[in-house]
Amino acid sequence: QFLAPHSSAAASQGSPSALGHFVIAAMSSKFGMEGHTAFFIKAIAGLIFLMTLGELNTRCYCWAATGILLWGIMTSETVGFSSDDSVAVIAALLFVRAVPMLYRRALTIAATYPLAFVLPIAKHILLKYSISEENFFDCDGCSAEIANRRRAAIQELSAKWKKKYPKCADFSQELKKMISDLRFTSSRCFPAFNEVVQKYLDPSMALDRTEGVDVVDLDGNSSMDVSGSYGVNVCGYEKYKEFIQEGWSSAKKQGLFLGSLDKTVLDNIAMLREISGHPEVSFHMSGTEAVMCAVRVARFNTRRKMCVTFGGAYHGWWDGMQPVVGNDRIPADVLCLKDMSTLSLKVIEARKGEIAAVLVNPLQCFHLNQSPPSDPILSSNNRNVGPTPGYKEWLHKLRQVCTKCDIPLIFDEVYTGFRLDPKGAQGAYDVKADIVVYGKTLGGGLPIGVVCGPKDLMQRGDKTKAARINYVIGTFAGHPFVMATMNAFLKWLQNPRSSLAQMHP
């Protein structure tokens, strides 16, 4: 009766009901599957579940299962709700559950660093282009006279460079054929102008040695170094030569033994415990690797996944903690919030059950909510110099919120460690972090990464679950030579007569 039209008149008039019944009747008669509808519904549900398994959050499956269960209970003979009443009840319960979640989502959107929204879209839209030499010199609309003067100037400078840096130029050309790192660093500088600049001026400098504050290239030219070797050079080149020489004198008798530790390591740990204020230490081979360790132990021991960073902050090249420029895979378990924002503190409080750690790079006080000066940025020196007023107070508020919410606060001091203060940002701002990450200069001239923290956050295994292990380790962690040069640096740091101690009395 359901499949048959109600009347011939309705059918002839082409009413939706009649037409729908006709289509169903036609399909039923064609396939003869009306008796297996329940099976097909179950099959569809099962296939959707299998196809989305691992892609959707576990909560989605739990909500779907809860909804089906509620439907079954309410429409059963025991309860006796109609289908319409059951839908209304489930919708009301869903609304009650959705309100706080939507509030947290809205709050997060308001507090998120804008570039974190823009970049995932912009990177697929913004085209890379290069200005040809024909349009290079007058690309800003200058007169022909100015353009000719510019062309003559760059040709003159190019001739001087070729005369002054012949060995460096030859070395650079050969190196670019073999090392992808050099091709990347030389091609990312101001992309639109790069092709012409590379033709006339090769910025690569092949160094032969260092002398005092100067670097000497293969052609014998001396230049004062103002870059500090990416933040490593805190003490001066000659001092690092001393650290390396002293370290080699101590470590050469040990050779390459790995895994076992010696008295030098214990000495280093004692000094690092005093500096960081934490009882446990973990050694790694770079700052990025140390950040990876800190994040992993925080997630493992809090049993939460989400991490918070702040706009523009750099925490190494690992794609797991790089939510903006430089990462093609935007991590879904990182919230990049606005620095020094009350909304960010509210987000941390509202989502405390999800957040495993809050990471702070104290260097951000010099360029709040902006990326550090870098090659992809054409204009990078038009900012105020000096720390942002109120940054210390902000860190204290952040510390209070993290303590209240039981969220570990991590200081990424790979760059700032031992620069701001002999005890790093913790000493400079009088804020105790739950985990501290060091690197760069701490190695005394050799590669290093160190994580310091309390025992409960540095655990690599579960006390109650045998198979739950957090594998964080490295072959060259605690290398004898690195430990020896670190030891030389730390002893120099503790010396009251050292220049660093005099800078921070």
Side-chain angles (χ1 to χ4, degrees):
Q1 293 177 353
F2 173 77
L3 295 175
H6 292 291
S7 68
S8 58
S12 62
Q13 292 174 5
S15 68
S17 176
L19 180 62
H21 292 174
F22 174 77
V23 172
I24 294 174
M27 292 180 65
S28 299
S29 60
K30 185 176 182 65
F31 297 107
M33 293 294 172
E34 57 272 14
H36 305 284
T37 303
F39 166 78
F40 285 117
I41 291 175
K42 293 177 182 177
I44 291 171
L47 289 172
I48 291 175
F49 173 77
L50 293 173
M51 291 168 66
T52 59
L53 185 62
E55 299 293 329
L56 296 178
N57 193 298
T58 309
R59 291 180 183 177
C60 296
Y61 301 116
C62 292
W63 290 336
T66 302
I68 294 170
L69 182 63
L70 283 173
W71 175 274
I73 293 173
M74 287 187 292
T75 56
S76 65
E77 293 183 1
T78 305
V79 179
F81 277 26
S82 68
S83 298
D84 293 337
D85 290 341
S86 299
V87 170
V89 171
I90 292 174
L93 293 174
L94 185 61
F95 177 78
V96 171
R97 179 66 184 85
V99 168
M101 179 176 290
L102 293 175
Y103 167 74
R104 291 195 296 269
R105 292 270 177 93
L107 196 61
T108 301
I109 291 172
T112 297
Y113 179 50
L115 191 58
F117 288 127
V118 175
L119 182 68
I121 301 171
K123 69 179 183 180
H124 296 294
I125 298 175
L126 294 177
L127 299 177
K128 187 175 182 179
Y129 67 95
S130 181
I131 297 176
S132 66
E133 187 170 356
E134 181 183 357
N135 302 316
F136 181 85
F137 299 101
D138 60 354
C139 63
D140 59 347
C142 68
S143 65
E145 178 187 357
I146 296 297
N148 290 332
R149 287 171 60 184
R150 289 172 174 174
R151 181 179 285 103
I154 198 171
Q155 289 173 345
E156 180 182 356
L157 181 59
S158 177
K160 289 180 179 179
W161 273 34
K162 289 177 180 177
K163 184 178 180 180
K164 187 174 183 179
Y165 306 109
K167 293 180 181 179
C168 287
D170 292 341
F171 183 82
S172 174
Q173 291 303 317
E174 288 300 314
L175 213 58
K176 287 178 183 178
K177 298 176 183 178
M178 300 175 282
I179 299 183
S180 59
D181 303 52
L182 188 59
R183 289 200 306 273
F184 169 68
T185 54
S186 62
S187 65
R188 67 179 180 171
C189 304
F190 313 141
F193 303 95
N194 186 266
E195 185 177 327
V196 177
V197 172
Q198 287 285 331
K199 175 182 177 181
Y200 286 99
L201 305 171
D202 189 336
S204 301
M205 178 180 284
L207 299 183
D208 177 64
R209 63 189 184 276
T210 60
E211 295 177 351
V213 297
D214 295 338
V215 292
V216 183
D217 62 35
L218 294 179
D219 294 294
N221 303 299
S222 294
S223 304
M224 180 180 290
D225 177 30
V226 296
S227 70
S229 296
Y230 303 104
V232 173
N233 196 342
V234 174
C235 316
Y237 284 118
E238 300 306 314
K239 186 57 65 176
Y240 286 103
K241 291 177 185 177
E242 293 178 18
F243 296 153
I244 292 172
Q245 185 63 42
E246 184 179 338
W248 177 241
S249 298
S250 172
K252 62 183 178 182
K253 65 179 181 295
Q254 298 164 337
L256 185 66
F257 77 79
L258 301 173
S260 298
L261 304 178
D262 60 10
K263 292 182 179 179
T264 303
V265 178
L266 293 178
D267 194 20
N268 288 345
I269 291 173
M271 288 185 280
L272 287 169
R273 290 178 66 179
E274 182 181 350
I275 291 168
S276 68
H278 288 293
E280 294 204 358
V281 178
S282 178
F283 295 108
H284 306 276
M285 289 304 295
S286 72
T288 293
E289 188 179 328
V291 169
M292 293 169 70
C293 168
V295 170
R296 284 196 64 177
V297 295
R299 283 175 170 157
F300 179 79
N301 290 295
T302 61
R303 294 176 178 265
R304 305 171 200 147
K305 294 182 179 180
M306 196 70 70
C307 284
V308 170
T309 65
F310 293 100
Y314 180 70
H315 296 287
W317 56 261
W318 172 41
D319 67 350
M321 285 305 300
Q322 201 174 19
V324 284
V325 178
N327 187 7
D328 196 46
R329 183 191 73 85
I330 305 300
D333 51 8
V334 175
L335 296 177
C336 187
L337 305 180
K338 297 173 185 175
D339 221 335
M340 287 186 69
S341 168
T342 303
L343 280 176
S344 296
L345 298 179
K346 290 182 178 179
V347 169
I348 294 171
E349 289 187 272
R351 304 188 66 171
K352 61 184 178 181
E354 306 171 64
I355 298 173
V358 174
L359 273 76
V360 172
N361 184 341
L363 188 64
Q364 286 304 108
C365 71
F366 294 102
H367 37 78
L368 206 67
N369 290 310
Q370 299 181 65
S371 297
S374 60
D375 292 332
I377 303 172
L378 180 59
S379 179
S380 60
N381 292 321
N382 58 347
R383 62 189 75 203
N384 295 325
V385 178
T388 303
Y391 191 75
K392 178 178 180 179
E393 291 73 18
W394 153 256
L395 288 181
H396 279 265
K397 290 180 182 178
L398 182 62
R399 171 69 277 178
Q400 291 171 2
V401 170
C402 287
T403 301
K404 175 184 175 182
C405 298
D406 193 27
I407 298 173
L409 176 63
I410 300 176
F411 271 11
D412 179 353
E413 298 233 46
V414 171
Y415 189 93
T416 57
F418 316 107
R419 281 180 177 271
L420 299 177
D421 186 274
K423 292 191 175 183
Q426 289 193 113
Y429 296 115
D430 191 27
V431 176
K432 179 70 178 295
D434 296 299
I435 297 177
V436 188
V437 180
Y438 298 110
K440 293 190 183 293
T441 193
L442 177 58
L446 296 184
I448 189 63
V450 169
V451 180
C452 301
K455 184 176 181 180
D456 62 317
L457 288 176
M458 298 288 278
Q459 293 280 6
R460 315 290 176 85
D462 195 308
K463 293 181 179 179
T464 59
K465 305 291 190 304
R468 188 168 180 267
I469 300 171
N470 189 31
Y471 199 81
V472 180
I473 200 165
T475 301
F476 288 97
H479 190 288
F481 191 12
V482 178
M483 292 296 102
T485 56
M486 180 196 297
N487 189 261
F489 169 78
L490 288 172
K491 287 180 177 178
W492 172 84
L493 183 69
Q494 288 188 330
N495 186 345
R497 293 181 296 177
S498 71
S499 57
L500 193 62
Q502 293 173 8
M503 285 170 58
H504 305 285

